[in-house]
C-alpha cells in the first residue's frame, strides 16, 4: 500500500520547525508551521494549498515571508489557519512592505485567513490587488474539532496551552483506496491519470450505479458501473492519520487533549525540547521533555513517532533525547 500523505520535517530537530505534507500523485501539499523554510524549494512551496500555524512565536512563523514572496504575482488562493490574534499577526507582516505596484500584476494572489477560536472559526480575505487591505468583515462560523474538510480527508485541532494558545493538529484520510494491479491488467486496463479521477469519485461518494469511463489500451473506451469497477480493482482500507504537536506544556489538560487528538495516529510528530533532568526548565518555558513526549506517543497508541524542536543546549547530545523518548514509549506501550 502506498500512503497518500508523505510527511517530513522540513529540517533537523534543532532548526525552526515545520512539517511538509505532499500528497502522492498530486501537485499539492499542506504544511504545519512555517519555521525555517529554506530547505524547501520554490516548487515545493508553490504546491502548498493550506498552511496551519500552531502559534506565532517567531520560530514557527518566520517562514511566512518566503511563502508570500514566492506566491506573489501568481493566480493562487492560499489558505492560512492560526490561533486567536492571527489576523493581527499576518496584517503586521503585510504592513511591513509597500504594495503600490501590485495592482498591475496580471495574476492575483489571495490570502484566506482563518482564526481558530474555542468554538468558532473567523475567516477573512486579503487580496493582493487591494494591497492586502481586507474589504469585507470577517465571517464567523461555529466549529467543533474539525477546522477543514474535503471529501478525502479532514483536519482536526485541539487548542493547547503554551502560555498562549497553541494548535495541536491532525490530518486524517477518510479511507484509503489501493488499486489491485493484477485485476487491472486482467480487465485490459492500464494505470494512468484516470486512477486519480477514479479514487476521487470514491472519495466524493459518487453514486455506485453511475457510469465510469476508462480509456483502455488501443484508445478504446471501456464503460463500467463505478461500484462494479471498485469491487473489482479497489481495496478500501482505513485512512492514514498524521498528528503534529508543537510547543506545549505538560499540564493534565494538555496531556488529555494530545492523547485524544493523536489517538492511533500512524505517525505522531511531537516536540521534545528538553531532557527529563531539566523538566523544571521545560515547565517554566511551557515545553515537553523527551520522556513526556515518548509517554504521550505511547498513551495515544501512535504507531510511529518522531520528536523534534530540541533546545540548542543539547547540540551534541541528540542521542540522549532520542533514547529517553524511545525508552518512555516502550515502557508505556
Ligand atoms: Zn513557542
Ligand atoms: Zn517553538
Amino acid at each position: 500500500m502506498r500512503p497518500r500523505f508523505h510527511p517530513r520535517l522540513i529540517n533537523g530537530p534543532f532548526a525552526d520547525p515545520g512539517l511538509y505534507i505532499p500528497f502522492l500523485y498530486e501537485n499539492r501539499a499542506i504544511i504545519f508551521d512555517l519555521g525555517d523554510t529554506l530547505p524547501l524549494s520554490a516548487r515545493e512551496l508553490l504546491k502548498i494549498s493550506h498552511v496551519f500555524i500552531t502559534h506565532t512565536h517567531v520560530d514557527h512563523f518566520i517562514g511566512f515571508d518566503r511563502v508570500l514572496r514566492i506566491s506573489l504575482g501568481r493566480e493562487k488562493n492560499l489558505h492560512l489557519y492560526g490561533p486567536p490574534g492571527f489576523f493581527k499577526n499576518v496584517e503586521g507582516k503585510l504592513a511591513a512592505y509597500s504594495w503600490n505596484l501590485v495592482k498591475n500584476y496580471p495574476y492575483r494572489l489571495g490570502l484566506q485567513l482563518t482564526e481558530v477560536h474555542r468554538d468558532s472559526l473567523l475567516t477573512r480575505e486579503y487580496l493582493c490587488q487591494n494591497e492586502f487591505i481586507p474589504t469585507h468583515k470577517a465571517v464567523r462560523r461555529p466549529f467543533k474539532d474539525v477546522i477543514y474538510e474535503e471529501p478525502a480527508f479532514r483536519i482536526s485541532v485541539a487548542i493547547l496551552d503554551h502560555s498562549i494558545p497553541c494548535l495541536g493538529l491532525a490530518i486524517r484520510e477518510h479511507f484509503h483506496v489501493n488499486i489491485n494491479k493484477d485485476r487491472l491488467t486482467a480487465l485490459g486496463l492500464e494505470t494512468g491519470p484516470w486512477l486519480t479521477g477514479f479514487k476521487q469519485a470514491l472519495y466524493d461518494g459518487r453514486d455506485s450505479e453511475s457510469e465510469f469511463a476508462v480509456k483502455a489500451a488501443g484508445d478504446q473506451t471501456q464503460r463500467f458501473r463505478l461500484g462494479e469497477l471498485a469491487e473489482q480493482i479497489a481495496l478500501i482500507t482505513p485512512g492514514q492519520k498524521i498528528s503534529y504537536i508543537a510547543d506545549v506544556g505538560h499540564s493534565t489538560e494538555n496531556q488529555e487533549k494530545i492523547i485524544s487528538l493523536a489517538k492511533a495516529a500512524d505517525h505522531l510528530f511531537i516536540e521534545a525540547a528538553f531532557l527529563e533532568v531539566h523538566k523544571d526548565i521545560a515547565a517554566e518555558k511551557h515545553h515537553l521533555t523527551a520522556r513526556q513526549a515518548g509517554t504521550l506517543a505511547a498513551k495515544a497508541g501512535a504507531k510511529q513517532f518522531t520528536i523534534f524542536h530540541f533546545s540548542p543546549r543539547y547540540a551534541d547530545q541528540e542521542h540522549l533525547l532520542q533514547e529517553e523518548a524511545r525508552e518512555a514509549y516502550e515502557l508505556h506501550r
Side-chain angles (χ1 to χ4, degrees):
M1 164 181 147
R2 301 202 61 187
R4 182 189 187 102
F5 309 130
H6 290 256
R8 68 171 203 270
L9 290 165
I10 56 180
N11 44 39
F14 292 98
D16 293 349
L19 186 72
Y20 184 70
I21 310 180
F23 296 3
L24 185 71
Y25 302 134
E26 286 173 67
N27 190 30
R28 181 180 175 196
I30 62 168
I31 193 164
F32 293 163
D33 275 344
L34 289 172
D36 178 3
T37 61
L38 275 178
L40 292 175
S41 67
R43 205 166 151 262
E44 286 171 316
L45 288 176
L46 283 171
K47 281 188 183 182
I48 297 171
S49 61
H50 292 71
V51 175
F52 300 85
I53 302 294
T54 59
H55 65 302
T56 48
H57 279 158
V58 64
D59 51 329
H60 297 255
F61 198 39
I62 192 149
F64 171 83
D65 284 31
R66 187 156 169 261
V67 173
L68 177 68
R69 178 70 193 94
I70 284 167
S71 305
L72 210 60
R74 291 177 190 269
E75 196 72 50
K76 187 176 166 86
N77 250 329
L78 189 63
H79 300 259
L80 297 109
Y81 294 73
F86 191 53
F87 293 165
K88 198 160 69 65
N89 294 131
V90 176
E91 284 165 9
K93 280 187 177 267
L94 295 168
Y97 304 105
S98 305
W99 299 108
N100 60 310
L101 296 178
V102 292
K103 284 195 180 72
N104 308 328
Y105 284 12
Y107 301 109
R108 286 154 179 197
L109 173 69
L111 304 178
Q112 314 289 327
L113 303 192
T114 300
E115 277 189 7
V116 181
H117 293 259
R118 197 150 294 283
D119 39 35
S120 65
L121 300 175
L122 265 180
T123 299
R124 202 163 197 198
E125 186 178 54
Y126 297 70
L127 299 175
C128 168
Q129 72 251 38
N130 296 337
E131 304 185 12
F132 295 111
I133 296 161
T135 49
H136 293 84
K137 275 189 167 176
V139 176
R140 188 182 288 276
R141 65 198 146 102
F143 105 105
K144 194 177 172 295
D145 309 332
V146 177
I147 52 169
Y148 178 70
E149 183 158 27
E150 52 185 79
F153 67 89
R154 65 171 179 263
I155 292 181
S156 315
V157 296
I159 300 179
L160 305 167
D161 178 40
H162 168 53
S163 76
I164 53 171
C166 179
L167 306 181
L169 295 158
I171 177 167
R172 167 150 221 167
E173 194 184 18
H174 292 141
F175 54 85
H176 192 77
V177 182
N178 304 281
I179 302 297
N180 185 324
K181 297 272 164 59
D182 294 340
R183 297 259 188 86
L184 208 64
T185 312
L187 287 173
L189 301 175
E190 287 171 1
T191 54
W194 69 270
L195 278 171
T196 309
F198 169 67
K199 288 180 180 178
Q200 195 58 49
L202 298 181
Y203 288 129
D204 290 346
R206 205 194 291 171
D207 183 3
S208 61
E209 293 296 320
S210 62
E211 185 185 271
F212 192 84
V214 185
K215 275 232 162 27
D219 243 10
Q220 300 269 351
T221 298
Q222 285 200 43
R223 293 175 198 285
F224 298 89
R225 276 194 307 111
L226 179 65
E228 184 191 18
L229 183 62
E231 255 171 47
Q232 300 214 45
I233 65 164
L235 177 67
I236 311 285
T237 53
Q240 193 185 359
K241 180 173 177 181
I242 311 292
S243 202
Y244 177 82
I245 304 296
D247 309 7
V248 283
H250 195 241
S251 67
T252 309
E253 196 182 338
N254 273 352
Q255 291 178 52
E256 285 167 359
K257 286 180 178 175
I258 293 166
I259 290 168
S260 160
L261 182 76
K263 193 105 239 145
D266 294 287
H267 200 151
L268 166 64
F269 294 83
I270 184 164
E271 72 118 332
F274 294 94
L275 283 170
E276 188 69 14
V277 287
H278 297 129
K279 70 168 190 289
D280 292 347
I281 305 171
E284 213 172 280
K285 294 180 184 269
H286 306 275
H287 275 288
L288 296 176
T289 67
R291 184 183 292 174
Q292 291 163 352
T295 305
L296 285 167
K299 288 187 173 170
K303 297 184 187 85
Q304 187 186 351
F305 79 104
T306 300
I307 52 172
F308 67 97
H309 212 5
F310 303 162
S311 159
R313 69 168 61 213
Y314 309 115
D316 50 3
Q317 295 174 303
E318 186 183 330
H319 63 286
L320 294 181
L321 289 147
Q322 299 288 7
E323 282 160 19
E324 185 174 289
R326 178 62 44 194
E327 270 172 27
Y329 180 74
E330 297 300 342
L331 188 69
H332 293 94
R333 222 136 77 99

